[in-house]
Amino acid sequence: MFSPFRKSQLRKFFTVLCVLSFTLCLWAGTLPPQRLLVQASDLHPLVETGVNQYQAGDFQSAIANWQQALDKVDPDNLSHQTILLENLARAHRQIGLFPKEIAYWEQAIQHHQQLDDLSALGRALTEQAQAYNRLGQHRRAIALLCGENIDACAQGSALQIAHATTDVSGEAAALGSLGETYRLTGNYPQALTVLEQSLSILEADSLETDIEIDNPLYQTAVLNSLGNTYAAQAQASTRRAQALTERGDDPEDLINTANEQTEQAITFLQQSYAAAQAGNAISAQVRSQLNLIPLYQHLRQSTAAEQAWQTTRRLVATLPDSQDKAFTTMTLAGYLEPESTRQCPATNIVSEQTQLLEDAIAIAQTIQNPRAESFALGQLGNLYERCGDYDKALTLTQAARLAADQDRAARDSLYLWAWQQGRILKAQNQPEAAEKAYTQALEVLDTIRADILNSNRELQFDFRDRVEPLYREFATLKLNEVPASMPIEADKSVDSVLVTLDSLKLAELQNYFANDCVIVPAAARVDVVGEQSATAVISTAILPDRTSVIASFPNGQQQVEWINLDEATLIEETNAFRHTLESGRFRRVIDKASAIQLYDQLVRPFEAQLNALQIDTLVFIHDGILRSAPMAALHDGQQFLIEKYAVATTPSLTLTDPNALDRKNLNALILGLSEASQVGNIPYQPLNKVEDEIASVKAQFPNSTVLKNADFSEPKLQQALQDKNYRILHIATHGNFGAEPEDNYIVTGQKIDDQTNKALTISELDALIRSVSDIDQPPIDLLALTACETAVGDDRATLGLAGVAVRAGVRSAIASLWSVDDAATADLITRFYHHLLDPNLSKAQALRAAQIEVIQAGGFTEHPYYWAPFVLIGNWL
């Protein structure tokens, strides 16, 4: 049976930027004050006192003394100033003030440039890059370390300087930091490559005697990062295995892969710990042991996990107080509960967690770090909340909010404590106060959401624990205020729910597509655009015990209905509907039972209003698993939904360009792959009818360009986009939408080697489109992906499909929920483009006309398997 990573709910819920961050310290913990004393003996007391205070963990006092020394040092003595600036930067790092750390590094870098000390400059750039990583600004870090091209680093970057000056230690440090940056952005293959380069330099140096590198210190950092990278790969494999399990497929291979990657991670972390022991680096030992705990828990090695936990606690107690120590202590408290739960732990666990969290509060107060104090107070409040002591929970949560308010860098915790306060007040039967707290939490989250989701690639996958429930809980609160099963005039509560759900949709997309996703909301909401036509918008929100269905009509009225099924049952029924449709490939009889059932739940309650307002188009904004259900195939018992209405889908209220299609001078860039292909270990069969499909599209849009088979390559696609502005981008090739963003790709004719084709991800396609976009030219109107597919039961995959138009930078997209016979695909797409040229039809109506023609033509293709999977996403006008 599948066993996922069993991370503590507390760790998932609270640890945003924790001690697990990578720090490759070029300074081994001892300041060289004598460098200052040669020409500045009057500064000796300030400098030496600061050194002693730093080593004792009194960072605030060290900062005060070094700042005084900096104010007194000769303004022309750049060397002395630089040493103090670097030490001030490191001291601010210890108390978690990363923006100030960056500012001090910036001053030190300027001094190194003036002194023409290139080696020191390169190392300072590396340390500044690490500080940017701690803030989640990974692109800035990459720019400082190398730039975008690892094979030819940018002039003036840390790696380029290290190469130019033959600074072996600087090169090892920069490579290690760059590898960690790639890990944080989710580029695990590149991370492993770069980290292994860094490690090979260190291992080669161990045989040299003329180069002084503190190998134990350097090696522990690189080995730690290698271990974390394999652990992250194991998590990705685990998520893929979960997706297979949820849709009823065999996950055994992926489970084995995840376990192997976990074992590799453990090996590197154990080596990191040994190197840290050799160098007597206590902080590095703590990092390695702390990272080992969840890996042992995943493999159910409870004895090893307990030993690592005890070792970490013993070691961390010997360290001076710092932000890292505070967060390590909190993480240890979380690891006492390997299973994620909102229940009250056993009495002995509660006692030990309470002690640890009180220790973390004391550490944070000692170093005057409001952010760490906020997390420790809030986490302790969460423990009391789960154990039902709401008065203590509320007091601690309010204290956590107060601490977070004292530091802008702590705003990532502020929304958590407002949310927690709302839950506690709700449990105390104070709905108005609870709603106010929820509203405040959402307001804060909306301002910092991008920073949170972009801070660390692994943290993005805690989205369903750390972000998503807040939106759904608030929507539930507001929906309880609205009468059901009757049209009402525009209602503030309903509108508040729609806006909240829209924020959730935006957050989901940003989380799914990762930190380089550009999301720009449209000027007008979908339901407002619908008021200008005979269009109704139907939104769904899946809650744990039932699902809301909200219809917005063009006369301004709204209607709320409920599907009284729990989430698991709804998923089961939706999957059954898709399975029934996909089985049509092998049978002629159309099983309408599940199609009628979904129609009864999603559409029939609104029939009276739809008929009264003469609605001709339905736009669905679906949630979760419902995104995988082709609405066109719903059935009222007499006919399919597509026979009654044009149908479209959009990922959110605010991500659809409201402009209608301009049919003047329509042209297309047509890309196709008819030959057999392979991506990784996945073979794809030839698409024999792609030639006919390309010819048909070319005939309907004469002023077009065709790139097929070998000519369908990334460079030629980019060149074609540069040469001409196209209104339609038609791609006839195999494609895939999976649980991970990197699983979203189309297969090109470009060969990587004799067997493997280049897979162009949707993110890469977006980058190509945006790289040649002219600000004076409108975006591409339509992206057609005619042989893509998403897996049944995988709502993350269908999230990728739902957002394809947004991610690809186009107004709308047509894609398929499953791969269809290429002859039937060519027929339907040809019909669609024919109707698209009719100025009296919208895109949705053109697709409807094509689908109805296929149904009425009879034969085997009248089964919805052949026409229903094609969905219009985004602008339907």
Side-chain angles (χ1 to χ4, degrees):
M1 183 61 186
F2 176 68
S3 173
F5 274 97
R6 295 167 293 126
K7 296 183 290 185
S8 162
Q9 181 73 19
L10 293 177
R11 178 175 178 242
K12 285 182 175 181
F13 203 65
F14 296 105
T15 309
V16 179
L17 290 173
C18 195
V19 68
L20 305 182
S21 63
F22 175 94
T23 303
L24 183 56
C25 187
L26 298 176
W27 170 50
T30 304
L31 285 172
Q34 63 275 13
R35 290 180 59 191
L36 286 173
L37 302 181
V38 175
Q39 299 178 13
S41 57
D42 58 317
L43 299 181
H44 176 276
L46 291 172
V47 175
E48 187 172 26
T49 300
V51 171
N52 294 332
Q53 290 165 334
Y54 183 98
Q55 292 175 333
D58 187 359
F59 303 116
Q60 296 284 1
S61 298
I63 288 171
N65 279 301
W66 287 338
Q67 188 62 58
Q68 286 185 54
L70 183 63
D71 293 339
K72 293 182 177 182
V73 75
D74 184 349
D76 295 326
N77 194 327
L78 295 183
S79 295
H80 291 178
Q81 289 180 45
T82 303
I83 294 171
L84 283 167
L85 288 168
E86 292 189 344
N87 293 339
L88 282 164
R90 295 183 178 107
H92 281 90
R93 173 198 304 163
Q94 294 293 336
I95 60 174
L97 297 182
F98 305 133
K100 285 191 175 181
E101 178 193 357
I102 288 171
Y104 280 113
W105 283 122
E106 188 61 38
Q107 293 180 63
I109 287 167
Q110 292 174 6
H111 285 11
H112 287 311
Q113 289 170 332
Q114 290 177 270
L115 292 166
D116 200 28
D117 188 346
L118 291 181
S119 293
L121 171 61
R123 298 183 187 197
L125 288 169
T126 295
E127 295 231 39
Q128 188 182 43
Q130 293 166 1
Y132 276 118
N133 272 337
R134 286 185 277 273
L135 284 176
Q137 298 180 24
H138 307 309
R139 288 189 178 277
R140 295 289 299 272
I142 289 173
L144 289 169
L145 292 165
C146 175
E148 295 300 325
N149 186 0
I150 185 63
D151 296 321
C153 288
Q155 187 72 21
S157 64
L159 261 176
Q160 185 273 326
I161 290 172
H163 285 306
T165 58
T166 322
D167 181 4
V168 178
S169 60
E171 183 179 2
L175 284 169
S177 295
L178 184 60
E180 179 65 5
T181 309
Y182 285 136
R183 180 186 73 84
L184 292 171
T185 59
N187 189 347
Y188 305 131
Q190 187 72 285
L192 291 175
T193 298
V194 174
L195 289 168
E196 286 164 0
Q197 289 176 20
S198 179
L199 187 61
S200 67
I201 290 173
L202 296 173
E203 290 174 342
D205 174 66
S206 65
L207 303 176
E208 300 288 339
T209 59
D210 58 335
I211 303 175
E212 295 182 0
I213 297 181
D214 187 349
N215 253 301
L217 179 62
Y218 278 59
Q219 283 189 333
T220 189
V222 175
L223 290 166
N224 185 75
S225 196
L226 279 164
N228 287 340
T229 304
Y230 277 108
Q233 285 190 318
Q235 286 182 304
S237 297
T238 296
R239 288 188 296 268
R240 290 186 175 99
Q242 284 176 310
L244 288 176
T245 301
E246 289 169 2
R247 63 180 186 246
D249 293 334
D250 184 4
E252 183 177 358
D253 288 345
L254 279 171
I255 293 173
N256 292 336
T257 297
N259 288 337
E260 289 170 3
Q261 289 165 333
T262 302
E263 293 284 5
Q264 287 178 299
I266 288 172
T267 297
F268 277 115
L269 290 171
Q270 289 173 337
Q271 292 174 3
S272 174
Y273 178 64
Q277 282 184 307
N280 195 31
I282 304 299
S283 294
Q285 292 177 51
V286 168
R287 280 197 299 274
S288 301
Q289 288 292 309
L290 191 67
N291 291 343
L292 279 166
I293 297 170
L295 302 181
Y296 287 137
Q297 290 176 341
H298 167 64
L299 295 178
R300 299 187 182 277
Q301 297 177 7
S302 56
T303 301
E306 173 65 18
Q307 289 174 347
W309 192 95
Q310 293 293 348
T311 300
T312 306
R313 185 169 188 183
R314 173 178 54 81
L315 288 169
V316 78
T318 67
L319 292 173
D321 290 344
S322 67
Q323 176 174 267
D324 278 0
K325 183 175 180 178
F327 275 109
T328 299
T329 305
M330 286 182 254
T331 304
L332 284 171
Y335 282 159
L336 287 168
E337 296 179 82
E339 302 286 351
S340 296
T341 176
R342 282 187 178 270
Q343 306 304 312
C344 185
T347 303
N348 63 315
I349 299 296
V350 170
S351 175
E352 197 158 9
Q353 284 184 327
T354 301
Q355 183 61 59
L356 285 165
L357 294 173
E358 287 176 348
D359 289 347
I361 293 168
I363 293 167
Q365 290 173 341
T366 298
I367 64 173
Q368 300 177 43
N369 187 313
R371 184 171 181 275
E373 183 181 2
S374 171
F375 273 100
L377 287 164
Q379 193 165 332
L380 185 57
N382 177 260
L383 180 60
Y384 279 110
E385 177 198 359
R386 291 189 292 141
C387 292
D389 191 340
Y390 296 122
D391 289 337
K392 285 185 179 179
L394 189 59
T395 298
L396 286 162
T397 303
Q398 289 169 333
R401 289 190 66 175
L402 183 62
D405 271 328
Q406 296 175 29
D407 182 4
R408 283 188 60 84
R411 288 179 65 80
D412 57 344
S413 68
L414 187 58
Y415 89 93
L416 290 172
W417 315 139
W419 176 12
Q420 186 163 287
Q421 185 173 344
R423 292 196 310 272
I424 296 168
L425 291 168
K426 182 181 176 183
Q428 292 180 320
N429 198 27
Q430 300 183 52
E432 291 184 5
E435 184 176 315
K436 181 178 179 181
Y438 269 101
T439 301
Q440 292 170 342
L442 286 167
E443 288 173 350
V444 174
L445 179 57
D446 283 344
T447 64
I448 65 170
R449 184 178 60 222
D451 293 335
I452 290 176
L453 296 181
N454 294 350
S455 63
N456 185 315
R457 185 67 179 132
E458 282 94 65
L459 292 174
Q460 292 169 14
F461 295 103
D462 287 342
F463 176 83
R464 291 181 179 177
D465 297 291
R466 298 176 54 247
V467 175
E468 185 175 331
L470 170 57
Y471 292 102
R472 298 193 187 280
E473 289 170 16
F474 181 72
T476 302
L477 272 178
K478 299 298 292 182
L479 283 168
N480 288 335
E481 303 172 0
V482 180
S485 301
M486 57 180 293
I488 58 175
E489 297 303 319
D491 182 88
K492 287 186 178 180
S493 293
V494 176
D495 198 64
S496 177
V497 169
L498 291 174
V499 170
T500 299
L501 294 176
D502 188 61
S503 294
L504 172 59
K505 300 292 194 300
L506 295 176
E508 284 181 312
L509 288 171
Q510 188 164 31
N511 173 66
Y512 180 78
F513 285 117
N515 59 336
D516 60 346
C517 182
V518 179
I519 294 180
V520 181
R525 284 172 34 167
V526 170
D527 50 351
V528 174
V529 174
E531 291 177 4
Q532 303 167 16
S533 60
T535 300
V537 178
I538 297 178
S539 303
T540 56
I542 300 174
L543 307 173
D545 57 343
R546 57 180 180 164
T547 293
S548 72
V549 187
I550 305 171
S552 300
F553 302 106
N555 64 355
Q557 290 186 325
Q558 297 165 320
Q559 183 175 336
V560 177
E561 297 289 339
W562 290 97
I563 301 175
N564 291 311
L565 300 173
D566 60 43
E567 183 176 5
T569 304
L570 181 68
I571 290 172
E572 183 179 348
E573 290 190 358
T574 306
N575 284 340
F577 172 57
R578 261 200 61 165
H579 278 302
T580 298
L581 296 177
E582 290 192 62
S583 67
R585 183 177 184 180
F586 307 105
R587 62 183 68 175
R588 293 289 299 275
V589 177
I590 301 174
D591 183 356
K592 302 184 180 71
S594 58
I596 293 172
Q597 183 178 23
L598 265 181
Y599 181 94
D600 290 343
Q601 294 166 335
L602 294 172
V603 180
R604 198 178 299 279
F606 311 113
E607 277 186 335
Q609 277 292 90
L610 296 175
N611 293 333
L613 297 173
Q614 297 183 318
I615 298 299
D616 62 26
T617 301
L618 298 180
V619 176
F620 291 91
I621 307 176
H622 270 319
D623 191 20
I625 195 65
L626 290 171
R627 288 186 288 250
S628 71
M631 293 294 100
L634 299 185
H635 206 280
D636 69 356
Q638 302 296 322
Q639 56 188 338
F640 290 108
L641 184 68
I642 198 65
E643 295 178 278
K644 302 171 67 173
Y645 307 100
V647 174
T649 183
T650 185
S652 84
L653 278 176
T654 56
L655 288 179
T656 300
D657 186 318
N659 297 308
L661 175 65
D662 182 359
R663 287 166 172 79
K664 295 179 181 178
N665 302 316
L666 281 180
N667 65 342
L669 176 55
I670 308 165
L671 312 170
L673 180 62
S674 62
E675 302 168 342
S677 54
Q678 181 169 319
V679 172
N681 295 323
I682 303 174
Y684 291 99
Q685 297 299 315
L687 295 169
N688 297 318
K689 295 297 181 180
V690 159
E691 296 279 356
D692 294 341
E693 182 178 335
I694 290 174
S696 175
V697 177
K698 174 71 173 175
Q700 295 186 77
F701 304 107
N703 187 25
S704 299
T705 300
V706 173
L707 298 174
K708 63 183 179 182
N709 295 330
D711 287 333
F712 175 15
S713 66
E714 183 175 3
K716 290 189 176 182
L717 168 58
Q718 183 172 23
Q719 187 61 51
L721 290 170
Q722 290 173 341
D723 291 343
K724 186 188 289 188
N725 292 312
Y726 294 97
R727 308 293 304 286
I728 297 171
L729 184 56
H730 182 96
I731 305 177
T733 183
H734 289 290
N736 183 76
F737 287 87
E740 303 296 304
E742 56 268 27
D743 295 338
N744 294 342
Y745 61 81
I746 55 177
V747 184
T748 72
Q750 181 180 346
K751 290 288 188 179
I752 296 176
D753 53 43
D754 291 341
Q755 292 185 323
T756 308
N757 292 66
K758 160 72 176 174
L760 187 69
T761 67
I762 300 302
S763 297
E764 289 170 338
L765 178 62
D766 167 64
L768 284 176
I769 292 173
R770 294 183 190 276
S771 70
V772 298
S773 294
D774 188 326
I775 59 174
D776 296 326
Q777 295 293 331
I780 291 173
D781 275 297
L782 178 66
L783 168 66
L785 300 169
T786 61
C788 292
E789 63 179 314
T790 63
V792 61
D794 190 344
D795 62 338
R796 276 187 63 81
T798 50
L799 177 65
L801 181 65
V804 66
V806 175
R807 190 64 187 98
V810 299
R811 283 180 172 158
S812 54
I814 283 185
S816 56
L817 290 166
W818 57 81
S819 186
V820 182
D821 171 81
D822 55 334
T825 297
D827 177 55
L828 186 139
I829 290 298
T830 298
R831 295 175 187 272
F832 164 69
Y833 282 135
H834 170 74
H835 292 294
L836 188 67
L837 293 170
D838 185 344
N840 297 313
L841 297 179
S842 67
K843 295 174 191 171
Q845 289 166 342
L847 180 59
R848 173 178 182 252
Q851 290 172 315
I852 289 176
E853 285 180 356
V854 171
I855 295 170
Q856 293 177 343
F860 68 92
T861 58
E862 72 176 317
H863 192 286
Y865 165 80
Y866 292 96
W867 52 263
F870 295 95
V871 293
L872 178 65
I873 305 160
N875 181 305
W876 71 92
L877 300 173

